[in-house]
Amino acid sequence: MKLLSLAFAGVLAAASVASQAFAATDDFLTIQLKNGPVVVQLMPEIAPKHVAQVKKLAAEGKYNDVAFHRVIDGFMAQTGDVKFGNLTKGFDARRAGMGGSDLPNIPAEFSKVPFERGTVGMARSQDPNSANSQFFIMFAPGSFLNGQYTVIGKVVSGMENVDKIKRGAGGNGEVSDPDRMIKVTVGK
């Protein structure tokens, strides 16, 4: 009987490990760019509400064909305006960066995770609780953002593809004929 109990416990432990591996795979976002994929490891333990919203939008295909509307060399590339930034469905260059999704804004989930090269953070207005669908990927460290914006993840592969995103012109980094997220999926 004891042997049967040990065997059953072993099966449960293996199932638990397998389910953890499956859950861990769910905490990645793959962004297909023109030069190749970018894999972001999401941080639901740091920003659970933001990560859940981004994953929902990605799973629904809302980020597909959305422009990098604001790209500042040596700083960051911003995307995710699913309302005005979709290059195949109603793109509006004058309004790109002003929209979000039909989902509600998310209360701030600031953390001590620093903004370094490859960090992915949520864009917002002056209101700390206004993040919705837009996010940015850091080209370089930006310690002045620490504790001011919600970190949702970190690029774990494909940063060389992020580096090739077309840069904007002007002080705000507006991009004419912008690059896009071709397809965004949950998982590796």
Side-chain angles (χ1 to χ4, degrees):
M1 187 66 151
K2 188 170 186 169
L3 187 57
L4 184 59
S5 293
L6 286 173
F8 183 68
V11 168
L12 286 178
S16 173
V17 167
S19 90
Q20 287 173 1
F22 179 75
T25 304
D26 189 39
D27 289 332
F28 289 88
L29 201 64
T30 299
I31 304 168
Q32 184 63 46
L33 302 179
K34 68 179 182 181
N35 291 304
V38 175
V39 178
V40 175
Q41 183 172 6
L42 299 169
M43 298 177 180
E45 69 284 2
I46 300 297
K49 293 175 185 173
H50 288 77
V51 167
Q53 186 138 314
V54 166
K55 285 168 64 172
K56 178 175 177 50
L57 292 167
E60 292 175 354
K62 301 289 187 184
Y63 286 128
N64 298 347
D65 291 315
V66 173
F68 283 92
H69 63 273
R70 182 174 180 240
V71 183
I72 301 173
D73 194 34
F75 179 31
M76 60 87 212
Q78 185 173 332
T79 186
D81 183 346
V82 300
K83 185 172 185 178
F84 302 120
N86 188 306
L87 290 164
T88 59
K89 297 177 187 167
F91 179 70
D92 184 343
R94 293 167 297 145
R95 299 182 77 190
M98 296 180 182
S101 71
D102 293 334
L103 300 173
N105 289 345
I106 313 161
E109 294 177 303
F110 299 154
S111 68
K112 294 184 189 257
V113 177
F115 279 87
E116 301 170 336
R117 177 172 163 76
T119 298
V120 180
M122 291 297 286
R124 62 171 177 81
S125 70
Q126 295 292 348
D127 178 357
N129 301 312
S130 63
N132 185 286
S133 65
Q134 294 186 47
F135 60 90
F136 55 93
I137 304 171
M138 300 296 290
F139 290 126
S143 61
F144 58 94
L145 300 175
N146 293 349
Q148 306 294 314
Y149 288 80
T150 299
V151 172
I152 62 164
K154 173 108 175 136
V155 172
V156 293
S157 72
M159 194 62 198
E160 68 279 6
N161 298 322
V162 173
D163 288 335
K164 295 175 185 171
I165 294 170
K166 183 179 179 185
R167 303 311 201 255
N172 202 28
E174 307 86 9
V175 185
S176 61
D177 190 27
D179 285 344
R180 69 183 76 199
M181 296 186 290
I182 297 167
K183 185 172 185 176
V184 181
T185 54
V186 177
K188 289 184 182 179

